[in-house]
Amino acid sequence: MATYAIGDLQGCFTPFMALLRQIEFNPGRDTLWLTGDLVNRGPESLQTLRWVFEHQNCVQTVLGNHDLHLLAVSEGYGKVHADDTIQAVLNAGDAKVLLEWLRCQPLMIYEQGFAMVHAGLLPEWSVKKALRLAEEVEDELSSQQHRSFFSKLYGNKPIRWQDDLKGMDRLRMVVNVMTRMRFITRDGELDLAYKGELEGAPANLVPWFEAENRRSADTPIVCGHWSALGLMLSEDILAIDSGCLWGGSLTAVRLEDRAVFSLPCQAYRDIA
């Protein structure tokens, strides 16, 4: 029995299947952890979503920003952008079943001594606190009020966490941190503007995992979202979005021994 964490798929179903063959994944024995962004930008979002849904007994996934975008659009909020590839999902005969299942997936999980979240955690959040905050969002997503949630989801504010934040400001910031964050400012504000590599970052920004006094540093965190960062493995961070969509690779890490498996990918722009 093994648990494999795999980085952002984003509709890249063909390399996903090739990587599963490479690691000799056995759905009756092994478990997959997926870092979110199952869909969008890649050419096979519907196939990817269907496969994960059909194998939900051996797969755990967290929600990424592209997954939430698909859900928001399906509820009539947000716009389909020119480079989105979610229309096949929206038009599918089984869309209702797939999207209701996706909407009820967690924002964060903690098992086997590892936490998994799509993007990251604020330095002032312990893993225990972050799980409680994720649950607040998950309760809203799975409730009958989820359409109201999606109607107010988009936006970059607030940018500073306060425990007394309420309503949609509170929920939106939790979502933005857990599904969109890469950097924070040196005085602790969320920055969602810069998306590039570490070397080119403005001097006032620090990657979230390098923030001083980060309260989640005692727990290894599996995350994705940041393809420009690439594969980065340390004692407490397993950042595994290695840019399959852009011609990088698709990466799996076996959590039991941290063995790394990598599959080179053809860039989506070359095959679209």
Side-chain angles (χ1 to χ4, degrees), residues 119-159:
L121 303 179
L122 285 177
E124 58 262 49
W125 293 352
S126 65
V127 167
K128 185 176 181 180
K129 179 173 183 173
L131 286 166
R132 289 198 304 267
L133 293 172
E135 189 174 348
E136 292 181 26
V137 175
E138 293 156 13
D139 287 347
E140 198 75 13
L141 279 169
S142 60
S143 76
Q144 294 184 352
Q145 286 74 47
H146 64 273
R147 294 197 77 251
S148 176
F149 171 89
F150 285 119
S151 73
K152 301 172 184 175
L153 173 63
Y154 291 97
N156 294 341
K157 295 183 179 180
I159 60 174

Side-chain angles (χ1 to χ4, degrees), residues 1-21:
M1 298 175 63
T3 303
Y4 296 95
I6 297 180
D8 301 23
L9 299 177
Q10 293 198 243
C12 296
F13 182 69
T14 298
F16 178 39
M17 291 296 101
L19 181 60
L20 293 187
R21 290 191 294 271

Side-chain angles (χ1 to χ4, degrees), residues 33-137:
W33 282 23
L34 303 177
T35 61
D37 279 2
L38 302 179
V39 300
N40 207 17
R41 304 292 174 81
E44 302 161 308
S45 289
L46 179 57
Q47 297 96 313
T48 302
L49 191 57
R50 279 177 173 162
W51 190 96
V52 177
F53 173 77
E54 290 165 2
H55 293 81
Q56 60 187 277
N57 62 318
C58 61
V59 176
Q60 295 208 72
T61 187
V62 291
L63 290 167
N65 53 303
H66 284 284
D67 305 317
L68 289 168
H69 175 60
L70 167 62
L71 290 167
V73 170
S74 76
E75 296 290 351
Y77 303 103
K79 298 178 181 178
V80 177
H81 304 119
D83 53 358
D84 285 345
T85 59
I86 56 176
Q87 199 62 50
V89 178
L90 299 171
N91 294 343
D94 53 351
K96 186 173 186 295
V97 171
L98 294 173
L99 294 174
E100 285 186 355
W101 170 82
L102 185 63
R103 178 165 54 82
C104 294
Q105 297 313 296
L107 207 57
M108 179 180 175
I109 65 170
Y110 174 76
E111 288 184 14
Q112 303 177 47
F114 290 85
M116 181 168 67
V117 65
H118 179 62
L121 303 179
L122 285 177
E124 58 262 49
W125 293 352
S126 65
V127 167
K128 185 176 181 180
K129 179 173 183 173
L131 286 166
R132 289 198 304 267
L133 293 172
E135 189 174 348
E136 292 181 26
V137 175

